Amino acid sequence: MKLKPSISWSSGLMIHYPYLMMFKATLLTSLILTSLLATLIAGSEPKFPLQAIPESSKSQFLKRQAAPHVFVDPGYRIWGMAVIKWSDGKYHGYYARWPEKLGHNAWMTHCEIAHAVADKPEGPFTHVNTVLSSKHLEGWDVNNAHNPAICIADGKICLYYISNDLKKIYDKDPAKFYPDNQWFVKNRKALRNSQRIGVAIASSPEGPFERHPSPVVEPHGRFKNIAVNPAVTYQNGTFTMIMKGDDIRKDGWFRIQLVGHSSSPTGPFTFQPTPVYDRAQTEDAGIWYDQKDKTYYMACHVMGKRDLALFHSTDGNAWSMTAIPLFMKKQFRLGDGTIWNPARVERPFILTDDQGSPIMLYLAVADKNANGNIAVPFKK
């Protein structure tokens, strides 16, 4: 193979061009890890430190016992919960669930969004009803309802979710011939790339939620294949959304997050051409606006890392890592001082007070074949 001319660094090191490009790519994708490690070495506390949760939380979770700080739904796998405080003084959670017997992969095909209620932000939460079912034969969102995100705007509850637009990939009328599990397994890649973001709006927490007749976000511009995992906040008449898509500038699936804005809950959302972050694959944003700081914040899952990262923006358009980029380690400090390290900790949702100060963090957790949500209070 004929190599391009070598490049000399000031140190005298000689590197051939292809190897330099490989080194550069590796360096970029590891920047976030380097930054987080530097924080840990320095011993700096995250900007939004968390409290310990009761030492009983781990055993209650593994035994699938609902309790304060622990939300499980027997017979179902759960992945992510978004919470609002409504005018009734109660806390209403909207969570993704699917039958446990179908296994983890059924999140993409058999998921629905259910509603639970609690008197306190940490719970215990009690299941109330299903607000978006997994089948919606008359809409664009024929199959699946997953990854809920929520905000309150002008007295309305805006519930964002992702669904599969089967009508573009299924060769039959799904209202008459709904696909079976064999079809779902065989066409999983196409199914993945059919995912779009929708919104359903209600005037009360239990619904009914009226689904918008078309997706509010589809792949376009900087992102391709998918439009998924929305996080939305509403401030001063503007909806700010961070969502995930595949980077159109890269081959295959390389997941980036972009920020968009709209004056309407149903869009259209205008997205910034520059990703929130594209040096590593990220997903599952949790977004909020702190009125005291006059700053937007985003916590997100950095894929393949044991940390959640923290970003900020003063205008909601241009984003960067905070001075201390560690939002939290993917672990929980228990009341007896021990540390619980679950297999997976993802999908952060941040509940704030009326001024936008974080009060409770909700996380999707999987450990030892148990799925659920853990609520962790922020330090005051």
Side-chain angles (χ1 to χ4, degrees), residues 16 27 46 113 128 148 167 299 301 331 351:
H16 289 293
L27 179 63
I113 295 176
V128 178
K167 293 180 178 179
H301 167 222
Q331 61 185 31
L351 177 68

Side-chain angles (χ1 to χ4, degrees), residues 140 161-163 193-198 215 217-219 225-227:
W140 69 269
Y161 62 99
I162 68 174
S163 189
N193 288 344
S194 77
Q195 294 175 110
R196 305 291 182 259
I197 296 171
V217 184
E218 298 188 78
N225 296 331
I226 55 174

Side-chain angles (χ1 to χ4, degrees), residues 72-380:
V72 292
D73 195 344
Y76 291 91
R77 292 177 183 261
I78 298 174
W79 205 241
M81 182 163 71
V83 179
I84 58 170
K85 184 179 182 181
W86 191 242
S87 55
D88 59 2
K90 296 183 182 295
Y91 296 86
H92 296 266
Y94 299 85
Y95 62 101
R97 72 173 191 175
W98 63 97
E100 185 174 18
K101 63 183 180 181
L102 297 179
H104 185 76
N105 283 345
W107 71 264
M108 194 189 288
T109 55
H110 293 77
C111 189
E112 64 183 15
I113 295 176
H115 164 222
V117 65
D119 293 325
K120 298 179 180 180
E122 69 272 20
F125 281 87
T126 301
H127 170 78
V128 178
N129 63 326
T130 295
V131 295
L132 295 180
S133 62
S134 62
K135 292 183 181 180
H136 186 229
L137 303 183
E138 64 271 24
W140 69 269
D141 44 353
V142 173
N143 168 247
N144 221 42
H146 189 60
N147 280 4
I150 203 159
C151 66
I152 300 174
D154 302 324
K156 300 287 187 178
I157 302 171
C158 302
L159 175 59
Y160 293 85
Y161 62 99
I162 68 174
S163 189
N164 301 324
D165 189 354
L166 287 190
K167 293 180 178 179
K168 296 181 179 179
I169 63 173
Y170 193 48
D171 59 0
K172 299 178 182 178
D173 179 358
K176 298 178 180 179
F177 305 97
Y178 195 77
D180 57 21
N181 287 342
Q182 185 177 2
W183 186 91
F184 283 136
V185 171
K186 182 179 179 181
N187 295 277
R188 192 169 181 84
K189 180 177 179 180
L191 198 67
R192 183 261 189 194
N193 288 344
S194 77
Q195 294 175 110
R196 305 291 182 259
I197 296 171
V199 68
I201 300 175
S203 299
S204 62
E206 66 277 4
F209 280 83
E210 182 178 351
R211 304 189 193 212
H212 190 61
S214 60
V216 296
V217 184
E218 298 188 78
H220 68 280
R222 179 66 189 268
F223 60 103
K224 61 183 180 180
N225 296 331
I226 55 174
V228 297
N229 299 23
V232 185
T233 187
Y234 178 73
Q235 292 291 328
N236 301 320
T238 297
F239 294 84
T240 299
M241 173 190 288
I242 293 179
M243 51 71 63
K244 182 181 78 172
D246 291 328
D247 194 341
I248 201 168
R249 299 183 183 182
K250 296 183 182 293
D251 296 332
W253 298 349
F254 188 92
R255 287 144 290 195
I256 56 173
Q257 297 188 100
L258 297 105
V259 61
H261 302 86
S262 176
S263 59
S264 167
T266 60
F269 281 84
T270 301
F271 285 89
Q272 298 296 315
T274 302
V276 172
Y277 189 80
D278 62 356
R279 294 174 177 173
Q281 297 192 76
T282 59
E283 64 176 2
D284 292 350
I287 186 174
W288 73 100
Y289 181 76
D290 192 312
Q291 297 178 29
K292 295 179 181 178
D293 290 353
K294 292 182 170 45
T295 300
Y296 290 90
Y297 291 99
M298 179 196 76
C300 71
H301 167 222
V302 182
M303 300 179 72
K305 310 300 181 186
R306 291 295 302 176
D307 307 278
L308 299 179
L310 182 64
F311 295 77
H312 63 168
S313 172
T314 56
D315 61 6
N317 295 318
W319 292 76
S320 62
M321 279 188 172
T322 54
I324 300 175
L326 177 67
F327 180 67
M328 69 167 287
K329 296 183 183 180
K330 292 182 181 179
Q331 61 185 31
F332 301 102
R333 182 164 54 88
L334 304 179
D336 60 0
T338 60
I339 300 297
W340 174 24
N341 289 286
R344 295 178 67 174
V345 178
E346 300 174 18
R347 293 206 55 74
F349 181 88
I350 296 88
L351 177 68
T352 67
D353 63 18
D354 293 339
Q355 297 299 310
S357 296
I359 58 175
M360 193 68 62
L361 171 64
Y362 302 91
L363 294 155
V365 175
D367 198 24
K368 294 180 172 61
N369 206 35
N371 278 63
N373 279 273
I374 296 294
V376 187
F378 289 90
K379 291 182 178 179
K380 297 180 181 180

Side-chain angles (χ1 to χ4, degrees), residues 18-36:
Y19 301 113
L20 178 62
M21 294 299 100
M22 292 172 59
F23 174 80
K24 182 179 179 181
T26 302
L27 179 63
L28 288 175
T29 55
S30 66
L31 279 178
I32 189 169
L33 179 60
T34 302
S35 184
L36 294 180

